[in-house]
Amino acid sequence: LAKTTQPISMDSYEGQEVNITCSHNNIATNDYITWYQQFPSQGPRFIIQGYKTKVTNEVASLFIPADRKSSTLSLPRVSLSDTAVYYCLVARPASKIIFGSGTRLSIRP
Amino acid sequence: KAGVTQTPRYLIKTRGQQVTLSCSPISGHRSVSWYQQTPGQGLQFLFEYFSETQRNKGNFPGRFSGRQFSNSRSEMNVSTLELGDSALYLCASSLLGQRTDTQYFGPGTRLTVL
């Protein structure tokens, strides 16, 4: 199973763009990359998923280079409510999902 | 449509007791996974059920067990509770449990073992 590595914590300010990079060196051909957001005492919430190049939805963008050994979650113009833990996952069909330590993002006014 | 529901939301037990937690997946979802979250170990996978069969299992002792019913609802049981079992237990459901399926998490059950 692909292991992921993310920064333990990041700080930013309201209105800034935040980029969180995840390393997954041994990603397999059929693996997808998924990001989740978790607030304290709540279950994780799906943010975005991708396989290669760039994926964008209403809350975030996901950039995946050609070698797929890393990915970057981009949050445009963050607000205080984006303060949370962000998890990068690499998952295969019908396999157990391994959550890494996540990145604790703190947004300041 | 309704999200994943978990009952109870909070539970206090004493060492040696057993506990059963319940999870109702989103309607139409057939895969249910369970996770344990603690400050020290983070989010750890317990097991996954699909069509009433355990399909994957994490590295937890046999005291942790689960089952899934024909309506996809799932329960997990922990016997002979230990202090270290205090955690937030999360249930997640997805359509088929495949790699492109999004997992939707419930609010969790906070278990405290005294």
Side-chain angles (χ1 to χ4, degrees), chain A residues 30-32 34 36 38 41-44 46 49 87 91-97 99, chain B residues 35 37 43 45 55-59 88 90 97-100 102-103 105-107 110:
Chain A
N30 60 349
D31 285 343
Y32 275 71
T34 310
Y36 282 84
Q38 187 179 26
S41 296
Q42 293 186 26
F46 171 85
Q49 182 181 68
Y87 294 96
R92 294 171 189 168
S95 70
K96 48 190 177 183
I97 306 298
F99 279 80
Chain B
Y35 298 83
Q37 186 170 34
L43 264 164
F45 174 81
R55 189 160 64 173
N56 282 290
K57 189 175 188 306
N59 299 322
L88 180 67
L90 293 159
Q98 296 183 356
R99 65 181 181 276
T100 54
T102 299
Q103 285 208 346
F105 284 80
R110 171 75 62 186

Side-chain angles (χ1 to χ4, degrees), chain A residues 44-108:
Chain A
R45 184 175 73 103
F46 171 85
I47 301 174
I48 198 166
Q49 182 181 68
Y51 183 79
K52 62 179 179 180
T53 63
K54 177 183 174 182
V55 179
T56 298
N57 62 21
E58 62 277 7
V59 298
S61 294
L62 178 60
F63 298 91
I64 305 169
D67 66 6
R68 304 199 330 121
K69 293 184 184 299
S70 66
S71 59
T72 298
L73 174 72
S74 181
L75 304 172
R77 293 185 298 282
V78 294
S79 64
L80 295 176
S81 63
D82 292 316
T83 294
V85 178
Y86 292 81
Y87 294 96
C88 161
L89 311 178
V90 175
R92 294 171 189 168
S95 70
K96 48 190 177 183
I97 306 298
I98 306 296
F99 279 80
S101 302
T103 297
R104 189 172 300 275
L105 177 64
S106 298
I107 305 300
R108 302 177 182 178

Side-chain angles (χ1 to χ4, degrees), chain B residues 9-85:
Chain B
R9 292 293 313 279
Y10 302 91
L11 207 48
I12 299 175
K13 293 284 188 179
T14 56
R15 279 182 298 175
Q17 288 187 307
Q18 78 164 25
V19 67
T20 299
L21 312 181
S22 181
C23 171
S24 292
I26 291 172
S27 177
H29 285 192
R30 292 168 60 189
S31 169
V32 174
S33 298
W34 288 89
Y35 298 83
Q36 180 197 65
Q37 186 170 34
T38 59
Q41 299 296 319
L43 264 164
Q44 293 185 286
F45 174 81
L46 278 156
F47 27 67
E48 184 223 358
Y49 285 87
F50 179 79
S51 291
E52 302 178 65
T53 301
Q54 188 180 87
R55 189 160 64 173
N56 282 290
K57 189 175 188 306
N59 299 322
F60 278 81
R63 299 186 297 108
F64 292 82
S65 63
R67 58 177 175 169
Q68 187 181 34
F69 302 95
S70 58
N71 61 359
S72 293
R73 191 176 70 84
S74 177
E75 289 181 347
M76 69 162 280
N77 185 77
V78 187
S79 62
T80 321
L81 284 166
E82 300 176 1
L83 295 179
D85 296 333

